[in-house]
Each structure stands twice: as C-alpha cells, then as structure tokens.
Amino acid sequence: MSSVRPDSADVIIIGGGHNGLVCAATLARAGQSVLVLEAAEHVGGMAITRRFAEGFKVSAAAHLFNQMPLSLVRDLNLKHHGLAFAATDLPTIGLSPDEAPLRMGDLDALNVRSEADARAYAPFDRRMNRFGKLIHAILASTPPRLGTTLWEDKWALAKMALKLRLLGRKEMRELLRIIGMNAYDLFEDEFQTPVLKGVLGFDAIVGSNFGPRAPGTVLTYLYRRAAEVSADSSTFVQPIGGLGTVTQALARAAEAAGARIRTQAPVARILVENDHASGVLLESGETIVANTVISNVDAKTTFLNLLGTEHLDTGFVRRIDHFRSAGMTAKLHLALAKRPNFTGVKPEWLGGRLVLSPSLNELERAFNPTKYQSVSATPALEITIPTIHDSSLAPTGQHVLSSVVQYVPYSIKGGWQTHRAALTTQLIDLLDQHAPGLRDSVVAAELLTPEDLEKEFRVTGGHWHHGDLAFDQFYMVRPVPGATQYQTPLPGLYLCGASSHPGGGVMGLAGRHAAHRVMSKSP
Ligand SMILES: Cc1cc2nc3c(=O)[nH]c(=O)nc-3n(C[C@H](O)[C@H](O)[C@H](O)COP(=O)(O)OP(=O)(O)OC[C@H]3O[C@@H](n4cnc5c(N)ncnc54)[C@H](O)[C@@H]3O)c2cc1C
C-alpha cells in the first residue's frame, strides 16, 4: 500500500487577505516556499469585489484605496499585475441638512462660511501632515519591545524620540498636548463651521468603536493621516474593478514570485509538535506540514479556535479574550436604476467621497444609542458612487452606491434578523433626503451589519481593524502583550493581519513587517 506524503512548504500563511498576500509575496521573493490557504472561494478578505445584485458589482467591505504605501505598490509591481486606477484625487464633500455641501480644502467656499476657519484651515492641515509624517515612522516599522536589551529595539525607540525632538520644541509640545485628547475638543477649538468639524470628526472615528468625545480619537485621526502620508495621498483612489483588483494583483505578484495559493481551503487547526508550530489541519481532514505558520486571521480566532487554549498560558488567554473586537461599522450597497442627484453636489463631485456627518454633536448623537444596542436614526455615512468612474460595475446607465455606515453595533436588541430590513429602509430614506428621488430608483439593496461581515469574511466581530485601535491595543502592545512584533507565545507561529500593528485599512504593512520578522528569525 503506498502512503501519500502530506503537502508541505517552508511557510504556510492562513488567510489570503491583502496582508496575507503581501506577506506571501515578500517571503516568496526572498526565496522561501510559501503556501497560502484561504477559506473562501477567492482571495482578498475584506478587500474584494463581488456581485450583490444581478448585473451589479461592488467593493464588498473596503471601498476606497488610500492607505497602501506607494513604495509597496511599486516593490510588488502591482501595476504590472493588473492594478489600475479608475480615478485618483477623489475629493471629500461634507453633506449636511443645514448647510450647502462643502468640498474639503476649498478655502474660498470656507471663507464664505467663516473667515476665521478659512484662515485657520491651511496651517491646521500642514500641522496635521507634519504630525502624520512623524506617526508614519511608527506605522512603517515593527514596534520595538519594551524593557528590551536588543540593540535594534533600543535603536527604534531612540529614532522615534529623535524624530519627535526634530519637530522642534513648539511643535513637539503641541503634539504631546493633543495626542491623548479627544477629536471633539480639538476640532471645536480650531473651527466654527459645523460640517467641516463633522467631516474631520468622521475621519477620527471611522471603523472604530468611539464617539468623537472619546479620549484617543486625535490619535486615531493622526493615524489615518499617517497612512495617507505614506500612500502619498491626502485624497482617495478608486481602482478599476473595485478593491478586488488590488488583492487580485497582490495574488498575481505572490504567485509570480513562486508562492502557491489554495482557495476553499479552510484551516481547522494549527498543529503543534515539540512546542513548535508544525503545520495545519484543514477542515477537509488534510494535513500540511511547515516550519513556520503565519496567521492572517484575527487574533482571537487564531489563538482561541485555530491553536487552542491548551497551548497557551491562562494569563495570555485572558488577554486575548479581552481583546475588544466587536465591530461598529456596516456597509450598505444599492443598485440604482439611474444616477442619483445629491442636492448642491456639483456633477464633478459626485464621483468623490461624500461624507454625511453634519457636525460633531450629530456624530456623538449617532454614537450614543450603540451603547444600548441600538442604532441612531441618522448614522454617519461615507458614500461613494463607483460607477461614476467605472461603468463595468453596473449595467449601462445604471449605478452602484456603496456606503460605509458608522455606528451600527455588532449586537442589536432583538437581533439583526428582526432589524436588518428596517435599518436598510431607514438608510435609504436618509439618503433620499439628500438625493431626492434616490429611493424610487433603488433596484436592489444589501446591508452588511458587523454580524454579516463576521460571517462573510470570517473576522471576529466583523471589525474593520480585527480589534479596536485604542491606546491599550496599540503599537507596542498590539494585539496583546505576548503576541507583539508579529510573534506569538508558540515558536514558529506568527501573526500578519490587521490584529497586529499597525492595524487595519488596506495598507499591507502588517503583512510586510511580519514577513521581515519571519526572515529575521530564519536560520
Ligand atoms: C465596512 C468596512 C469598510 C471598510 N472600508 C475600508 C476602506 O474604504 N479603505 C480601507 O483601506 N480599509 C477599509 N476597511 C478595512 C479593511 O477592509 C481591513 O482592515 C483589511 O481588509 C484587513 O485586511 P487583512 O488582510 O488584515 O485581513 P482580512 O481581509 O480580514 O483577511 C483575512 C483572511 O483570512 C481568511 N480566513 C479566516 N479564517 C480562515 C481559516 N480558518 N482558514 C483559511 N482562511 C481563513 C479570510 O477568509 C480572509 O480572506 C473597511 C472595513 C470594513 C469592515
């Protein structure tokens, strides 16, 4: 009887989200034999394009591309592998029931509303960019260890301190003053125009579990600016064919470098031999062996389900159990029979990013009900109409509306089965107030609550970042002490997804840093 040798690789990557693919491409280019195992039918994780109604396609979770460093796009030759842009420099337009739409950065329009704001905006923007650049240095490197004796960790800490010092005394003091503040207080101090502050506030909290009055929301605002600095983009980009084109290009880059990718290959367990990761067991019963296993899956699932608590000490299990990962962001997709008309929005703005967050108070009010497992009548929205730039996503003359819906809790009183349809109607009615006639043009609608995102993308809590980005789950302690620097308590097992530093967003940095960490440990 002949026995079949199990499949094997130097490195197995569990999950073909964009971070898993970046990690795979980086390791394969360095000569390692890499196998990516993706549970779904296709790679991409929360950055895919898929059909949501007959003839209509949409970027199903992430819909704007603004955070991946240009250097990564170039290094992996993504343009050669099919990445192309339908539109770049998408403007951000603030919508409000009480004010005319405001194009962010349009100082003439701002001057009409408040001369003081028009004077303050450019210096504010420059300062935030300066701080964003400093924070970018944090994103762009593996976090150093605390209490370390290793020279590379000490050097990383020293470099950070030096960069802070180089800001100059005045700017350094200002950064230290604001970094722990809440976005509400900062933007209230700086500006008067409600919709301007509303949009700035939205950028501080999108994808998170905080209202704009929560401490640490200036940090999350600067974090987003930092990612945009590295993407060399203070505005937004729409790839042709949606975000799926980005991850398809990443998959091609990984395969061109020699990585193998298997889809419909859900991993059931991480295997352990002699206290070292030794491979995986697929749900199909197949075993695959490897010296190194890297998980793109969120930290909770990786440790509690795939590895199993029997391989971890109780203190670590408790920390992972407490890693906050309930999502607060939903996604609405509408198939529209005709182009919507948003009141006051110029035709050249319609293909931009429309943010409905009329003021900081409205934003805080939208957050409040989520504490009691319910949704505000007016959640904040980030709306795009991708078909304005890319007609391949819908039948001729018809359109797709894709909206991030901020402040939709993971759990709702009565369950989502009872509330999903009502919230969908409520959101369409809200949009119709700003785009009269939109309601009657809706051909099909899909609302993905955090619970739906969890199921579709296999992410605990359906969380944008796989887990809150907050001071206690940030940088040197992300996701939790004991699993920082992409390493885990189990030798041979690493993390490479959004649960790790620097968190979520289609940035690819967690994947790249994890690959470098693995290479630095390879003999
Ligand atoms: C509603 C919403 C809107 C967003 N909008 C934007 C946006 O506009 N721009 C932006 O930059 N970011 C956006 N984000 C954030 C962004 O989508 C994510 O942070 C990012 O995609 C995470 O990438 P990742 O590779 O770390 O993980 P994921 O994309 O979650 O990939 C993990 C992969 O692991 C696979 N997997 C899980 N379990 C197993 C298993 N047992 N075996 C094998 N495979 C498994 C999953 O199927 C998945 O493919 C948004 C997020 C949400 C929820």
Side-chain angles (χ1 to χ4, degrees):
M1 212 173 85
S2 70
S3 65
V4 182
R5 286 247 310 265
D7 195 357
S8 68
D10 293 340
V11 178
I12 287 173
I13 298 180
I14 310 174
H18 84 283
N19 275 314
L21 296 169
V22 168
C23 190
T26 311
L27 288 169
R29 283 158 61 120
Q32 307 229 13
S33 99
V34 179
L35 173 62
V36 178
L37 297 168
E38 167 55 51
E41 281 174 19
H42 40 68
V43 293
M46 292 199 280
I48 56 159
T49 308
R50 65 149 171 74
R51 207 184 75 118
F52 73 101
E54 190 60 44
F56 293 86
K57 287 188 284 181
V58 75
S59 299
H63 63 173
L64 286 167
F65 187 54
N66 64 317
Q67 307 210 322
M68 186 173 283
L70 277 182
S71 58
L72 193 53
V73 173
R74 272 195 302 265
D75 285 357
L76 296 181
N77 221 352
L78 295 189
K79 297 212 168 146
H80 169 78
H81 292 297
L83 178 62
F85 298 142
T88 56
D89 295 332
L90 299 181
T92 294
I93 314 297
L95 304 180
S96 163
D98 311 313
E99 287 180 61
L102 176 70
R103 185 188 196 284
M104 294 297 279
D106 181 343
L107 297 187
D108 292 336
L110 194 55
N111 197 40
V112 173
R113 297 172 206 214
S114 159
E115 287 178 21
D117 282 3
R119 274 196 308 277
Y121 188 81
F124 167 83
D125 200 47
R126 277 197 299 274
R127 174 171 268 168
M128 293 300 126
N129 257 348
R130 256 195 316 277
F131 294 168
K133 277 189 187 138
L134 182 110
I135 292 189
H136 170 240
I138 294 179
L139 299 189
S141 58
T142 297
R145 262 173 200 220
L146 286 170
T148 178
T149 50
L150 293 176
W151 72 267
E152 67 248 40
D153 289 330
K154 287 182 176 169
W155 174 233
L157 282 167
K159 252 193 341 201
M160 227 164 58
L162 182 69
K163 281 201 160 95
L164 184 63
R165 186 66 194 89
L166 286 176
L167 276 178
R169 182 194 291 225
K170 188 164 156 243
E171 290 299 272
M172 185 169 59
R173 197 184 285 150
E174 181 60 8
L175 178 60
L176 294 175
R177 183 184 77 83
I178 67 169
I179 192 100
M181 270 174 80
N182 68 65
Y184 184 97
D185 285 346
L186 179 68
F187 301 144
E188 279 296 328
D189 283 352
E190 295 281 343
F191 300 112
Q192 296 166 349
T193 307
V195 73
L196 171 69
K197 293 184 281 189
V199 174
L200 292 172
F202 181 85
D203 282 346
I205 54 78
V206 64
S208 81
N209 263 320
F210 308 117
R213 282 195 167 105
T217 40
V218 168
L219 174 72
T220 41
Y221 176 74
L222 287 174
Y223 213 60
R224 190 177 167 106
R225 294 288 292 237
E228 288 167 4
V229 166
S230 75
D232 203 12
S233 137
S234 54
T235 56
F236 294 83
V237 172
Q238 190 192 315
I240 294 178
L243 266 281
T245 308
V246 177
T247 42
Q248 287 301 322
L250 284 170
R252 280 188 212 111
E255 285 176 329
R260 286 184 294 146
I261 298 175
R262 282 177 60 181
T263 54
Q264 293 181 288
V267 169
R269 295 292 286 188
I270 294 165
L271 300 174
V272 181
E273 234 178 81
N274 300 327
D275 293 329
H276 194 284
S278 62
V280 298
L281 172 70
L282 298 188
E283 279 179 14
S284 64
E286 184 186 353
T287 295
I288 308 178
V289 295
N291 297 327
T292 303
V293 176
I294 308 178
S295 179
N296 182 196
V297 182
D298 69 86
K300 268 195 157 142
T301 307
T302 298
F303 292 112
L304 303 182
N305 302 350
L306 299 183
L307 180 59
T309 53
E310 65 275 24
H311 298 291
L312 299 162
D313 73 49
T314 44
F316 183 84
V317 171
R318 222 188 76 244
R319 289 198 290 278
I320 282 292
D321 213 26
H322 291 175
F323 182 59
R324 294 186 306 283
S325 53
M328 188 63 91
T329 312
K331 191 77 191 304
L332 176 72
H333 304 140
L334 299 180
L336 302 175
K338 61 181 177 65
R339 186 183 164 114
N341 274 320
F342 281 79
T343 310
V345 169
K346 296 179 185 170
E348 65 270 26
W349 293 348
L350 195 60
R353 172 181 176 250
L354 311 179
V355 178
L356 178 59
S357 171
S359 69
L360 287 165
N361 277 333
E362 280 293 314
L363 200 56
E364 187 69 26
R365 257 182 235 122
F367 170 64
N368 285 340
T370 65
K371 298 172 202 160
Y372 314 104
Q373 296 186 313
S374 116
V375 185
S376 147
T378 51
L381 305 180
E382 176 188 78
I383 306 153
T384 65
I385 302 157
T387 36
I388 298 289
H389 301 295
D390 185 354
S391 58
S392 72
L393 299 170
T396 311
Q398 305 196 44
H399 284 276
V400 168
L401 183 146
S402 165
S403 177
V404 162
V405 186
Q406 184 62 29
Y407 299 139
V408 176
Y410 175 78
S411 307
I412 190 159
K413 253 185 264 157
W416 277 114
Q417 271 320 84
T418 324
H419 289 281
R420 188 182 292 97
L423 180 57
T424 309
T425 307
Q426 177 194 318
L427 291 168
I428 293 172
D429 288 347
L430 177 63
L431 284 163
D432 193 73
Q433 287 167 24
H434 296 269
L438 177 140
R439 188 193 294 115
D440 298 333
S441 72
V442 174
V443 178
E446 173 184 65
L447 177 67
L448 300 176
T449 66
E451 193 184 82
D452 300 322
L453 292 162
E454 175 178 71
K455 278 199 194 93
E456 177 170 348
F457 297 105
R458 298 176 174 83
V459 171
T460 305
H463 198 293
W464 179 299
H465 295 283
H466 286 190
D468 281 352
L469 266 186
F471 274 119
D472 63 326
Q473 300 192 163
F474 179 70
Y475 194 41
M476 291 186 237
V477 290
R478 187 168 181 82
V480 298
T484 57
Q485 293 194 320
Y486 314 98
Q487 286 172 253
T488 73
L490 182 73
L493 176 64
Y494 295 81
L495 298 177
C496 74
S499 301
S500 294
H501 172 77
V506 183
M507 220 187 276
L509 288 175
R512 186 163 71 174
H513 296 335
H516 290 154
R517 173 68 27 180
V518 168
M519 288 190 282
S520 76
K521 297 281 163 194
S522 298

